Amino acid sequence: MLNRVILIGRLTKDPELRYTPAGVAVTQFTLAVDRPFTTQGGEREADFLPVVTWRQLAETCANYLRKGRLTAVEGRIQIRNYENNDGKRVYVTEIIADNVRFLESGNNRNQSSPPPSEPSNKDPFSGDGKPIDISDDDLPF
Amino acid sequence: MLNRVILIGRLTKDPELRYTPAGVAVTQFTLAVDRPFTTQGGEREADFLPVVTWRQLAETCANYLRKGRLTAVEGRIQIRNYENNDGKRVYVTEIIADNVRFLESGNNRNQSSPPPSEPSNKDPFSGDGKPIDISDDDLPF
Amino acid sequence: MLNRVILIGRLTKDPELRYTPAGVAVTQFTLAVDRPFTTQGGEREADFLPVVTWRQLAETCANYLRKGRLTAVEGRIQIRNYENNDGKRVYVTEIIADNVRFLESGNNRNQSSPPPSEPSNKDPFSGDGKPIDISDDDLPF
Amino acid sequence: MLNRVILIGRLTKDPELRYTPAGVAVTQFTLAVDRPFTTQGGEREADFLPVVTWRQLAETCANYLRKGRLTAVEGRIQIRNYENNDGKRVYVTEIIADNVRFLESGNNRNQSSPPPSEPSNKDPFSGDGKPIDISDDDLPF
DNA sequence: TTTT
DNA sequence: TTTT
């Protein structure tokens, strides 16, 4: 009934922009977030949290985020599952972001998710996109 | 650098209380959290999010939470990994809770995590506990 | 650049629905939220936090929320100011909610803020409403 | 029962460190947080949100925060009241922070609130401090 | 009263 | 000024 996540961390790599078969933009990146404590050996560890953004926000993230940049993300946790090559069901936990803040960048653009006023698969559009590996079934709204 | 999660959902089962080899209490349960939208077929789906609590908060959760109860959880996302029987590294994403609110219950007790003022493994204590299956290396602080 | 509030508490009174001069619905209520600690005299205190909702969410809150109901609110903190009768500037801190969860209710309806796809003052509508005391300048988007 | 605020913004001034009569450190500063939308005239507005930190976290904030610095704050909203010179009761809404992240700084130190393991007024200590203007009654825990 |  |  309520599912809210707020993260601040750094991108482990440049973001990756893909398109669904219907032409919807999806950007994925991983945020390294330091843990609030050190290990018994005095080491500071981090969690590497996968983030997914859709549509306009995906395009903006692909344009402005880069490896190493300090970034704030707001969204919700979601568990996606699919069948792998061995026919086994695999569960993936991801943060579906609806708000991303670029805390470091050349021009400091920031962007929130402009919510879809229309069903987005009304005007399917495919062909200009990158190779496809994400299903439209994964669309978060 | 910042990692905050807030969930409201219902327990899918009664919570499970375990003890680490050093005698530290750990309670695990899963929260079913409805997604904020319906699927293309009009179905409402949910995410089933694993929650972990430690020490005093673990004891309180084990005492007061039950299957089906509406519950609020505050914490952080953490990725734990271990080697499975096939020698493969498995990654598990969990919410480490430091605050749990019992939104439905007989007596409506609630509890926050009383933070560890002392290293908790100073006074190892084991023997009264349930069978052990969680390592002390997983201690969140 | 980021402003997020999540509250769980109880309404101190029934919510109040008003309309702006342009006919936009606004609902206000106060949430009593217990503090996480007791006072030196062992008393438990609460904060009484004013919440504002707009448009469709305002109508839903007016319909479903009632005094004493346990309620979760997501939104942002905003400071509004106006000139009072003495010509002095007064500052009011409020939570502008975009998501409200009815944790107790007859039928357990819940509602998120359906974001404005169009400028909402396109079709001003006034006359059926209650006496007006909120300016359209206070519109949060 | 739950009261959580997360902000990212910039300090409008250098932070101010004070001490209570019992010698407890308190640091106050204001965070300018841009609103997520522009006004009808295309202007971007901000909210100026007062933040309070206590004890060790207060000292760290006073040492490392400066005017203009981008800063993340986690805490809860609290309403404090006092009688002013005219004998009128005045209400002040503040964010009591328990976690502050320095997103810009020389050496990028960050600090969470080390929770009070002992009642802090056990060892009152006053005299080295700045002039006093905050009551020990305002202590958040 | 305010930050970039 | 306040809720359970």
Side-chain angles (χ1 to χ4, degrees):
Chain A
M1 301 187 41
L2 190 147
N3 180 339
R4 202 74 198 161
V5 182
I6 297 179
L7 305 174
I8 301 180
R10 293 182 185 278
L11 272 81
T12 60
K13 294 183 186 175
D14 284 359
E16 289 184 30
L17 173 61
R18 297 267 181 288
Y19 291 87
T20 68
V24 181
V26 200
T27 292
Q28 297 183 291
F29 55 90
T30 296
L31 225 49
V33 182
D34 287 339
R35 294 194 179 162
F37 54 90
T38 50
T39 183
Q40 51 279 61
E43 305 268 301
R44 177 157 300 274
E45 293 176 313
D47 289 290
F48 298 94
L49 304 172
V51 178
V52 180
T53 60
W54 290 88
R55 306 173 202 281
Q56 177 55 47
L57 181 57
E59 311 268 14
T60 316
C61 285
N63 285 337
Y64 291 101
L65 289 178
R66 288 296 171 269
K67 177 180 175 171
R69 296 270 174 82
L70 191 66
T71 305
V73 158
E74 243 190 302
R76 47 175 237 281
I77 315 178
Q78 190 168 280
I79 300 177
R80 182 165 54 90
N81 69 80
Y82 62 91
E83 204 145 333
N84 73 1
N85 300 334
D86 316 2
K88 239 185 65 180
R89 192 136 296 269
V90 181
Y91 293 86
V92 184
T93 304
E94 295 163 321
I95 285 86
I96 311 301
D98 51 50
N99 190 7
V100 176
R101 298 291 147 180
F102 310 154
L103 304 177
E104 287 174 4
S105 77
N107 59 10
N108 225 69
R109 282 279 277 85
N110 287 290
Q111 209 70 16
S112 280
S113 179
S117 39
E118 297 297 318
S120 64
N121 41 2
K122 261 180 92 180
D123 181 25
F125 169 63
S126 193
D128 70 341
K130 306 267 183 46
I132 287 155
D133 58 27
I134 294 177
S135 158
D136 280 283
D137 298 347
D138 295 328
L139 277 169
F141 36 69
Chain B
M1 299 188 43
L2 191 148
N3 181 338
R4 202 75 201 160
V5 181
I6 297 178
L7 305 174
I8 300 179
R10 291 182 187 278
L11 272 81
T12 60
K13 294 183 186 174
D14 284 358
E16 289 184 29
L17 173 62
R18 297 268 182 289
Y19 292 86
T20 67
V24 181
V26 200
T27 292
Q28 297 183 290
F29 55 89
T30 296
L31 226 49
V33 182
D34 288 338
R35 293 193 178 163
F37 53 89
T38 51
T39 184
Q40 52 280 61
E43 305 268 303
R44 177 158 299 274
E45 292 175 315
D47 290 290
F48 298 93
L49 304 172
V51 177
V52 180
T53 59
W54 290 87
R55 305 173 201 279
Q56 176 55 46
L57 181 56
E59 311 268 14
T60 315
C61 286
N63 285 337
Y64 291 102
L65 289 178
R66 288 295 171 269
K67 177 179 175 173
R69 297 271 173 81
L70 191 67
T71 305
V73 158
E74 239 189 304
R76 47 174 238 282
I77 316 177
Q78 189 168 280
I79 301 177
R80 182 165 55 90
N81 69 80
Y82 63 91
E83 204 145 331
N84 73 359
N85 300 333
D86 317 0
K88 240 185 66 181
R89 193 137 294 269
V90 181
Y91 293 85
V92 183
T93 304
E94 294 163 321
I95 286 85
I96 312 300
D98 50 49
N99 191 6
V100 176
R101 298 290 147 181
F102 310 154
L103 305 176
E104 286 175 5
S105 77
N107 59 11
N108 225 69
R109 274 279 289 72
N110 287 289
Q111 209 70 17
S112 281
S113 180
S117 39
E118 297 296 318
S120 64
N121 38 5
K122 259 179 93 181
D123 181 27
F125 170 63
S126 193
D128 70 340
K130 306 268 186 41
I132 287 155
D133 58 28
I134 294 176
S135 159
D136 280 280
D137 298 348
D138 296 328
L139 279 169
F141 37 68
Chain C
M1 298 186 43
L2 190 148
N3 180 339
R4 203 74 199 162
V5 182
I6 298 179
L7 304 174
I8 300 179
R10 292 181 187 277
L11 272 81
T12 60
K13 295 183 185 174
D14 284 358
E16 289 184 30
L17 173 61
R18 297 267 180 288
Y19 292 87
T20 68
V24 181
V26 201
T27 292
Q28 297 182 293
F29 55 90
T30 295
L31 226 50
V33 182
D34 288 339
R35 294 194 179 162
F37 54 89
T38 50
T39 183
Q40 51 280 61
E43 305 268 302
R44 178 157 300 275
E45 292 177 313
D47 290 290
F48 299 95
L49 303 172
V51 177
V52 180
T53 60
W54 289 87
R55 306 173 200 281
Q56 178 54 47
L57 181 56
E59 311 268 14
T60 316
C61 286
N63 285 338
Y64 291 101
L65 289 178
R66 288 296 171 268
K67 177 179 175 173
R69 296 272 174 81
L70 191 67
T71 305
V73 158
E74 241 191 304
R76 47 175 237 281
I77 316 177
Q78 190 168 278
I79 300 178
R80 181 166 55 90
N81 68 81
Y82 63 90
E83 204 145 332
N84 73 0
N85 300 334
D86 318 1
K88 239 185 64 180
R89 193 137 294 270
V90 181
Y91 293 85
V92 183
T93 305
E94 294 163 321
I95 286 86
I96 311 301
D98 50 50
N99 190 6
V100 175
R101 297 292 147 181
F102 310 154
L103 305 177
E104 288 174 4
S105 78
N107 59 9
N108 226 66
R109 282 275 282 83
N110 288 288
Q111 209 69 17
S112 282
S113 178
S117 40
E118 297 296 318
S120 63
N121 39 4
K122 261 180 93 181
D123 181 25
F125 170 64
S126 193
D128 70 341
K130 304 270 182 43
I132 287 156
D133 58 28
I134 293 177
S135 159
D136 279 283
D137 298 348
D138 295 328
L139 278 169
F141 36 68
Chain D
M1 299 189 40
L2 191 149
N3 180 338
R4 202 74 200 161
V5 182
I6 298 178
L7 305 173
I8 300 179
R10 290 180 187 279
L11 272 81
T12 60
K13 294 184 187 175
D14 284 359
E16 289 184 30
L17 173 60
R18 298 267 181 289
Y19 292 87
T20 68
V24 181
V26 201
T27 293
Q28 297 182 292
F29 55 90
T30 295
L31 226 49
V33 182
D34 289 338
R35 294 193 178 161
F37 53 89
T38 51
T39 182
Q40 52 280 64
E43 305 268 304
R44 178 157 299 275
E45 292 176 315
D47 290 289
F48 298 94
L49 303 172
V51 178
V52 180
T53 60
W54 289 87
R55 306 171 201 278
Q56 177 55 47
L57 182 56
E59 312 268 14
T60 315
C61 285
N63 285 337
Y64 292 101
L65 290 178
R66 289 294 172 268
K67 177 179 175 173
R69 296 271 175 81
L70 191 67
T71 305
V73 158
E74 241 190 302
R76 47 175 239 280
I77 316 178
Q78 189 168 280
I79 301 178
R80 182 167 53 91
N81 69 81
Y82 62 91
E83 204 146 332
N84 73 359
N85 300 333
D86 317 0
K88 238 184 66 180
R89 193 139 294 271
V90 181
Y91 293 85
V92 183
T93 304
E94 294 163 322
I95 286 86
I96 311 300
D98 50 50
N99 190 5
V100 176
R101 298 291 147 182
F102 311 154
L103 305 176
E104 287 174 4
S105 76
N107 58 11
N108 225 67
R109 278 253 314 71
N110 288 288
Q111 209 71 17
S112 282
S113 180
S117 39
E118 297 296 318
S120 65
N121 38 5
K122 258 179 96 181
D123 181 26
F125 169 64
S126 193
D128 71 339
K130 304 269 185 44
I132 288 155
D133 58 29
I134 294 176
S135 158
D136 279 280
D137 298 349
D138 296 328
L139 279 169
F141 36 68

